[in-house]
Amino acid sequence: MPPRLSSLLLVVANLLIPIAILTFAAGFFPYKPFLPGVAQYDELEDELSRTAPFDKVIFMVVDALRSDFVYGHSSGFTFTQSLIRSGAAIPFTAHATSPTITMPRIKALTTGSIPSFLDVILNFAESDTTSTLANQDTWLAQLKAKPEGKLVMYGDDTWLKLFPDTFSRADGTSSFFVSDYTEVDNNVTRHVPIELLQTDWNGMFMHYLGLDHIGHKSGPRSPHMIPKQSEMDSIVKQLYEAMESKTHLKSTLLVLCGDHGMNDAGNHGGSAAGETSPALVFISSKLKTISAGLPCPRDVPRSDFQYYSVVKQSDLVPTLAGLLGFPVPLNNLGIFVPEFLSFWSKGDDNVQLMLRNAQQLLRIVKATFTDTHFDGQPDPSSCNHPSSDAERLHCLWDGARAVVNDQKATTTAVLAALTAFLSAAQDTMSSTASNYDISKLEQGIGMAGSAVLMILLTFTTTLWKAKSTALWAASAAISYGGMMFASSYVEEEQQFWYWITSAWLVWLYLKASAAESPLSVPRSILVIVLLSILRIIRRWNQTGQKHAGEPDIARTSLPAHNLILWTLIIATFLDLAQRIARRGLPGAPRQASIIVAIALCLAGFGFKVAYTKADAPELLVGLERMLLAPVEQTSLVTQARSVFLGITLSAAFTILQRFRRSPAYNTPGADVAWPMHDLLTLFLLTQSRINNVPLFLLFELQIQILGSLELTADEITQTSVFLQYSSFFAFGGSNAISSIDLSNAYNGQLGGTGLVDVGIDIVTSKGTASGAARYALQAPFPADVFHGYQPFLCHAGMHESEGASLHMDGFFAQVSI
């Protein structure tokens, strides 16, 4: 193919990639309309509300409160368990749909609706105000609308973003500094005694974050987990005793719940059983009138974390509406929990509670299926075999309406008919809540497919020149594409990249062995060393779904031997310092390069030490005096910004020298890529978890070995692709939202943080490995390695190694789409 046409196709393909992604995202994250306004009682419902058993609610959210944390034998919630046994508490497992992230779950808990996956993105931006619920009907708005309604809130400031100007008194805490699991909760607890003495509120909200932070740091088996559970249990005890002893709290309902759970690695965001099974406990001495108590802890915890009755999180909304006496919010998809119907002794009251829930859900059904006339009679023949969800719901509603109007029907029969409609409507509306725009999804896939075709056309010439490497590329692409059709393979994608990278290195070993002469350097031995390093990297972080949380090097071995950990970290920074001193500032005096290298690496190392003191002080036990003394007087923000400023100035100097055509670049082998590579490595070191820092030393060994193997351009490109994927997973990454690491997303930032700046930090911290592997392998190799690629690359106007890797990276990027 002519070079000009090849370049044109590459440009068009790379322009199509972001357009395809944006188009697909527009269909995957559509705007979902909601019913405007606020629900109002009619005369009959208003009379029923006066018989509500409670007039106040204390809503206590413990972030990531998985069901077994409360109901299991190893739980620290001993007082709560005693309340369950006595009947003063009724327990449930509240199923949380994906995404199991705080903001979407709070929306589900307060509106009863199904949140959007777009909320996952907005969840990470502290400055975001677009996701407010101020204009939606929620049970908080209903509670505040009651006579003398007043709400107070302490804890996760996500509530303050979602409900601006809703709380009369509030004190928010940031949810993203996951290293803090003490002060973040003390800041909530300090308000509790004061608020329990106040008589002016009818809703008190608390959101504790410490347990979730412990999970993110060290998983559900952390030694800090049980003490934190006991601390939360003591808050429950304090609240319950106040409810029993203070007159103004006699009719108060305490709700203890988790917004989501966590998986075995301590993370959340996906749909694993542990992530979707938070606890939900209703607590009040009044509950003893309807409950004789249940055994707790459970003798045999269920593997799927489903203890006691399982309800949906959205079911909380109509249940609180009935128990507190306010209308069900307009957009609710929940169903009143039947265990609480016993509070109303009259069968008619039970029917009215369920009927108003059914009528509220019917309004949403009507707004969705506008072509169906639910007020009329359905075709009897269609009810035997309904052809659509609308027909099925129409028939169920007609049947329920007929039973309600039947004077001879028993209360049990009426409740059964209403429940049948409610359950079907809930399932149908929950499944249609996503409301994907199929046409935009198809357009996005079509554009991505066109980009793949264009890349394949430009890729054929390169493949033809390197037939063996082309066979590997084709095999990997076909295997990888086929793997995407099975969810279990997607969840364990790291195994594919580890396997194919190992197989590729074995092939390089066989190739090197066949080409070696008796007097040559034993390149086959170098490949064996590469395989050994890869094996260590594979065991660094356990990831995926099946083995997440299992013992590994980063979270098990190194924390138990922190002297070895810090020795490796110091070796990593020393190696980087000598590289920056040797080639970091082209054109600068040798002494200046050494001084800058030492200053930059000392600043970076000092920042990591200080950050570890705040993030994981257990890793510094026994080493505090030696490591902390030089840095403990300077704030983390100042240290981070000093490192970033030094890196930026050094990079600017390097680029400026390049544009000025410094004589330093006229020496053989000199290239801007090496100093930029070293500066990038320093930046990525600051953005990585301290346990992962030694990985960069292993990566540098890989680079040095690969540089001595005399690989061809296509082999370098292929190796780069395989290593960037395998190294991403080695850092603990996975295809689950739950593996997003926020611990370095706020380095050097103060105040409210926005979506862009936090996003850049998340990408650099989570994409550390793949970015480092790609850049390290592509840029530094000398031009003569890429003999045979000159015509296309010169015409494209890029460095030869960049051109070769562009083909392969683009090819795999399109296959991934």
Side-chain angles (χ1 to χ4, degrees), residues 231 335 454 516 555 570 722 742 758:
E231 178 189 340
I335 303 174
M454 293 178 190
E516 279 179 0
R555 289 172 292 189
I570 292 172
F722 288 159
L742 297 176
V758 172

Side-chain angles (χ1 to χ4, degrees), residues 100-176:
T100 48
I101 303 290
T102 294
M103 180 183 286
R105 298 330 316 153
I106 292 178
K107 286 188 174 183
L109 286 168
T110 55
T111 66
S113 60
I114 304 299
S116 167
F117 269 88
L118 186 60
D119 293 315
V120 175
I121 301 173
L122 299 178
N123 187 76
F124 297 139
E126 289 189 313
S127 62
D128 170 61
T129 58
T130 62
S131 53
T132 175
L133 294 176
N135 298 320
Q136 292 194 36
D137 193 8
T138 65
W139 67 265
L140 277 75
Q142 293 289 348
L143 192 63
K144 187 176 182 179
K146 296 187 70 173
E148 300 181 358
K150 181 180 287 188
L151 310 181
V152 296
M153 187 274 156
Y154 303 101
D156 188 349
D157 58 5
T158 302
W159 290 81
L160 303 182
K161 290 193 296 182
L162 289 174
F163 301 99
D165 304 321
T166 297
F167 303 104
S168 299
R169 294 185 294 275
D171 187 6
T173 56
S174 175
S175 60
F176 292 119

